Amino acid sequence: MTEHTTGPSVKLDTPFGVDYDLVHGIMKNPQVHTIRLASSMRGHYRDAKALEALVAQGDPVHYEVFEMKIPQEVGQLQFCISKTYPGTVGGECFMTKGHYHAVPGTAEIYLCLRGEGYMLMKLPTGESACERFLPGRMCYVPPFWGHRTVNTGDEPLISFCVYPGEAGHNYADIEKEGFPQRVFKRAGKVEIVPAKAG
Ligand code: F6R
Ligand code: ZN
């Protein structure tokens, strides 16, 4: 992972505005810019050998997140642009790591701006859900649901996300549990399959 921090360019304790490039799906002058490469996705795709081949071939970017440093406090709102690139690893579509929120009872809204794909969601009990991402479509992630973005298209999948200030991220439990479903694209055909099946 590469995390690039630009330092405060706005005062966060007074009203402020942020400019977006909605065509390229980027926040202009973000305070935190996280870039996840193939090499930071080990353990997430079914085909570990295919992932290592991709790492050896140039370690492409899987996704980027653009954020401001909003205080992690009740009453604040975190917001970001999440941009997941197109591609596959052994047929499995590029995706985010996925996480629960560290404060589990906090929801999140994703508004899809460009591209296409799915939001995979799961509860710690194993119950799962899946929502389509298409431009103009919003996905509501209720409290307690883990969530992962999957790009099934041929261009970047870009969403604007908003969630409570205190939410935080819990990646460790999702890394242990995985998601009940995986999304593959073979010969242009998208398939959502149970994680344990082929
Ligand atoms: C924040 C959130 C998104 C993700 C982003 C990257 O709560 O859900 O902003 O952080 O899509 O995914 P992860 O965090 O799973 O690497
Ligand atoms: Zn989240």
Side-chain angles (χ1 to χ4, degrees):
M1 192 235 337
T2 308
E3 190 169 293
H4 172 65
T5 303
T6 58
S9 54
V10 295
K11 259 170 83 62
L12 295 170
D13 56 351
T14 56
F16 65 92
V18 172
D19 293 306
Y20 293 90
D21 174 344
L22 297 181
V23 174
H24 300 101
I26 51 177
M27 184 189 284
K28 296 180 183 171
N29 303 312
Q31 290 180 321
V32 184
H33 179 195
T34 304
I35 301 173
R36 301 267 189 210
L37 306 174
S39 54
S40 56
M41 294 299 290
R42 290 186 172 106
H44 291 284
Y45 292 100
R46 178 181 287 165
D47 190 338
K49 276 191 187 157
L51 183 68
E52 289 312 321
L54 206 56
V55 171
Q57 284 159 26
D59 205 7
V61 176
H62 278 220
Y63 62 99
E64 296 180 75
V65 185
F66 301 85
E67 298 166 272
M68 299 299 281
K69 284 186 179 173
I70 304 296
Q72 290 208 354
E73 293 168 3
V74 173
Q76 301 277 1
L77 287 175
Q78 306 290 342
F79 58 91
C80 69
I81 285 276
S82 174
K83 179 174 184 177
T84 307
Y85 285 84
T88 55
V89 177
E92 191 171 0
C93 295
F94 278 16
M95 60 190 182
T96 61
K97 285 171 177 275
H99 58 269
Y100 294 109
H101 288 164
V103 177
T106 52
E108 182 159 356
I109 281 173
Y110 277 66
L111 175 61
C112 179
L113 304 174
R114 294 182 74 88
E116 62 180 286
Y118 289 92
M119 177 70 98
L120 299 183
M121 289 169 278
K122 69 160 294 194
L123 284 170
T125 52
E127 192 181 332
S128 66
C130 174
E131 271 296 326
R132 190 87 168 98
F133 272 134
L134 284 171
R137 184 165 170 80
M138 186 273 276
C139 173
Y140 186 76
V141 182
F144 304 105
W145 286 79
H147 42 287
R148 158 179 285 167
T149 298
V150 183
N151 186 344
T152 58
D154 300 322
E155 61 169 299
L157 170 59
I158 297 158
S159 297
F160 178 69
C161 318
V162 185
Y163 56 104
E166 74 277 19
H169 296 88
N170 167 4
Y171 292 100
D173 287 345
I174 285 290
E175 274 186 39
K176 266 184 267 158
E177 298 167 9
F179 279 80
Q181 294 162 316
R182 291 185 178 276
V183 183
F184 290 85
K185 189 174 178 182
R186 295 183 180 111
K189 189 167 170 275
V190 175
E191 274 183 296
I192 303 174
V193 302
K196 290 193 176 89

